[in-house]
Amino acid sequence: MASMKAIGIRNGKGPAEAMFMDTISRPVPTGNQALVKIKAFGLNRMDLLQREGIYPVPPQAPSTMGVEFSGVIEELADSQSDFKVGDEVFGLAYGGKTASTWITATQALNLIGEFKSGQSVLWHAGASSVSISGIQLSKALGATKIFVTAGSQEKIDFCVNELGATAGFNYNTQDWANGVLEATDGKGVDLIVDFIGANYFASNLTAAARDGRIVELGFMSGGELPAGVNIGPILYKRLRIEGSTLRSRDEGYQERLRNLLVENVLPKFEDGTFKVFITKVLPFDQIVEAHKLLESNQTKGKIICTVS
């Protein structure tokens, strides 16, 4: 049986050093699937969590990590497909490709957050890849104000000066929730996209405007709320809080997102409106270094691994 290289994890989970170059069976596409020869892949926070054994992998996903890929189609199961062998493609897979950030940002902004022109938005982890995409999308869709949180002035300056955010708040030195209220004359923001979870929950309620929406995409600070959190604002502000995943969504939902991306995002890549920011490109066999760099929280954009 044909084989291929993949990243394995000794004992199934562990630190970055537990990863190694493995050899596994080459998959055979079935149904409407395509087999893609990977040229490059991007790292995501979910990769770190899956490596540590604390990410709920969907049942249809293989045990190998990774979801964000680009490459060339080598084989098609369906000869009537709109694609053909040799096509250059990029996108999101259930696993084994180590969520495109633009797809995730589009989902949070349009499908879950129901963002509309003239509204304001707050992107947490402003220099993360998803928020970098989201800031640009928000601006293109007519956001009145775009706020970010980040852990350094350098990252805030990047979000404001390079991406066009209105203002940023350093979560290490500032009360960002009250900062948002001051910057909006006490109104708060219409939409908050959060990856942090427990530690930001109460402050999100403070920073949200009446009839605001809070989209939860991750729990980097954990999922258990600290004692004493006042959930009253959910009621009197009429807030809607919705959690969402992308990787476990069915193919129909992901197709809908892909079509939104093709319609609203790809043209802006072509004309230069949207930019992809890359922190570092590393070869496939330096996956340990790539994971450590992502864990350092020093990045401003994607970490890419290339496959020769």
Side-chain angles (χ1 to χ4, degrees), residues 52-243:
E52 294 169 356
I54 55 177
Y55 184 88
V57 179
Q60 66 269 50
S63 58
T64 46
M65 295 190 303
V67 294
E68 185 177 318
F69 71 94
S70 65
V72 177
I73 294 178
E74 279 201 341
E75 186 179 343
L76 288 164
D78 182 3
S79 61
Q80 303 303 311
S81 170
D82 293 336
F83 295 95
K84 63 182 183 299
V85 172
D87 280 350
E88 296 179 339
V89 294
F90 72 94
L92 173 74
Y94 285 119
K97 304 302 179 291
T98 337
S100 170
T101 58
W102 289 88
I103 293 176
T104 303
T106 297
Q107 179 198 30
L109 201 64
N110 296 98
L111 292 191
I112 308 300
E114 298 178 355
F115 178 83
K116 295 178 176 59
S117 178
Q119 295 182 333
S120 57
V121 60
L122 166 63
W123 290 89
H124 287 307
S128 68
S129 295
V130 173
S131 290
I132 286 172
S133 305
I135 293 164
Q136 295 179 76
L137 283 166
S138 303
K139 185 176 180 181
L141 291 173
T144 54
K145 293 183 179 180
I146 305 168
F147 301 107
V148 300
T149 61
S152 70
Q153 189 60 46
E154 179 187 4
K155 288 184 177 181
I156 290 170
D157 290 343
F158 167 74
C159 292
V160 173
N161 299 330
E162 294 288 337
L163 304 178
T166 306
F169 306 95
N170 187 331
Y171 57 76
N172 288 316
T173 61
Q174 294 176 277
D175 181 339
W176 58 262
N178 282 322
V180 167
L181 289 179
E182 291 175 6
T184 57
D185 297 322
K187 178 179 180 294
V189 287
D190 298 302
L191 173 63
I192 298 174
V193 182
D194 182 34
F195 314 88
I196 310 303
N199 290 354
Y200 278 16
F201 189 84
S203 294
N204 282 340
L205 302 185
T206 299
R210 182 160 300 192
D211 294 314
R213 296 163 311 286
I214 301 171
V215 179
E216 295 286 355
L217 297 182
F219 297 119
M220 291 173 61
S221 67
E224 185 173 340
L225 294 180
V229 172
N230 176 18
I231 63 172
I234 299 175
L235 183 67
Y236 64 75
K237 285 188 177 183
R238 302 190 296 266
L239 301 179
R240 192 184 78 195
I241 303 172
E242 185 169 349

Side-chain angles (χ1 to χ4, degrees), residues 8-15 17-20 22 50-53:
I9 307 172
R10 293 181 183 86
N11 301 316
K13 62 180 180 180
E17 291 82 1
M19 294 186 295
F20 69 99
D22 198 2
Q50 183 175 338
R51 190 201 72 214
E52 294 169 356

